[in-house]
Amino acid sequence: GAVVSQHPSWVICKSGTSVKIECRSLDFQATTMFWYRQFPKQSLMLMATSNEGSKATYEQGVEKDKFLINHASLTLSTLTVTSAHPEDSSFYICSARGTNSNQPQHFGDGTRLSIL
Amino acid sequence: QKEVEQNSGPLSVPEGAIASLNCTYSDRGSQSFFWYRQYSGKSPELIMFIYSNGDKEDGRFTAQLNKASQYVSLLIRDSQPSDSATYLCAVNEVNTDKLIFGTGTRLQVFP
């Protein structure tokens, strides 16, 4: 149980392109989803928290107009990196959790984004 | 600043030995504690979670929690080379939805 699917696994695109990443909870209802990014050999960095049907809450320093998050249903959240540039290249990972804030977060497989 | 601290390692143990991974946290009000395993280039995978003081066992893994000392640990018995990974300790941040992650301990199990 508690499977989170994230697509795509890899994206390589030109600078200026917008990229959408999907995160789906396959066997549970994800009241809350989280988006992280991770640079090589560094720790996870939380970008934003989203609750179904509400606007995402962004961490300090994360541009909300750059990283658009939509959590329209209890099983799907999307992250769109708008007008991506090389400095946005990173490993983006989503996680999902049920209703209770004490429950574990379950992670998707991550999306490796490379902007040329 | 709420913190979760782990020794970065690497912790090197021989195959078959017990690996002991430790974590301390700063927020005394935290109630939920998680251990994730992250292989290089992959996303984190949940290994164990614990809410109450004491030990919790699942197969070769045992999580230990001591809230008075603000200390949580993970024991891996009969360590295997496939256990070689970075182990992340995570603690819930009180009054938010967030987890606070440690920087992880890299475990190396050699044959």
Side-chain angles (χ1 to χ4, degrees), chain B residues 15-104:
Chain B
E15 185 173 357
I18 296 175
S20 178
L21 304 160
N22 304 313
C23 171
T24 59
Y25 60 95
S26 64
D27 191 344
R28 191 170 284 280
S30 293
Q31 298 292 323
S32 309
F33 307 87
F34 307 91
W35 283 99
Y36 290 87
R37 177 175 63 197
Q38 187 173 25
Y39 292 112
S40 181
K42 302 294 185 183
S43 68
E45 172 192 9
L46 180 69
I47 297 295
M48 294 279 297
F49 57 90
I50 186 167
Y51 303 137
S52 304
N53 277 328
D55 294 0
K56 178 182 178 183
E57 187 175 319
D58 183 1
R60 296 187 296 115
F61 299 97
T62 299
Q64 299 175 317
L65 175 61
N66 183 326
K67 289 185 180 179
S69 301
Q70 295 174 240
Y71 178 91
V72 59
S73 64
L74 178 70
L75 301 179
I76 306 175
R77 287 181 298 283
D78 188 24
S79 295
Q80 302 296 309
S82 58
D83 295 326
S84 299
T86 296
Y87 289 79
L88 302 172
C89 173
V91 176
N92 78 293
E93 183 177 79
V94 178
N95 295 326
T96 76
D97 283 320
K98 296 188 267 191
L99 291 180
I100 307 169
F101 283 86
T103 53

Side-chain angles (χ1 to χ4, degrees), chain A residues 94-111:
Chain A
C94 74
S95 70
R97 196 204 68 209
T99 308
N100 190 322
S101 61
N102 286 332
Q103 291 174 309
Q105 291 181 24
H106 300 280
F107 286 85
D109 288 340
T111 297

Side-chain angles (χ1 to χ4, degrees), chain B residues 1-20:
Chain B
Q1 179 80 11
K2 300 181 178 92
E3 294 181 340
V4 174
E5 296 194 353
Q6 299 180 253
N7 188 315
S8 61
L11 172 66
S12 292
V13 300
E15 185 173 357
I18 296 175
S20 178

Side-chain angles (χ1 to χ4, degrees), chain A residues 49-61:
Chain A
T49 303
S50 73
N51 289 292
E52 184 262 339
S54 302
K55 287 186 179 179
T57 302
Y58 290 81
E59 295 299 298
Q60 192 171 7

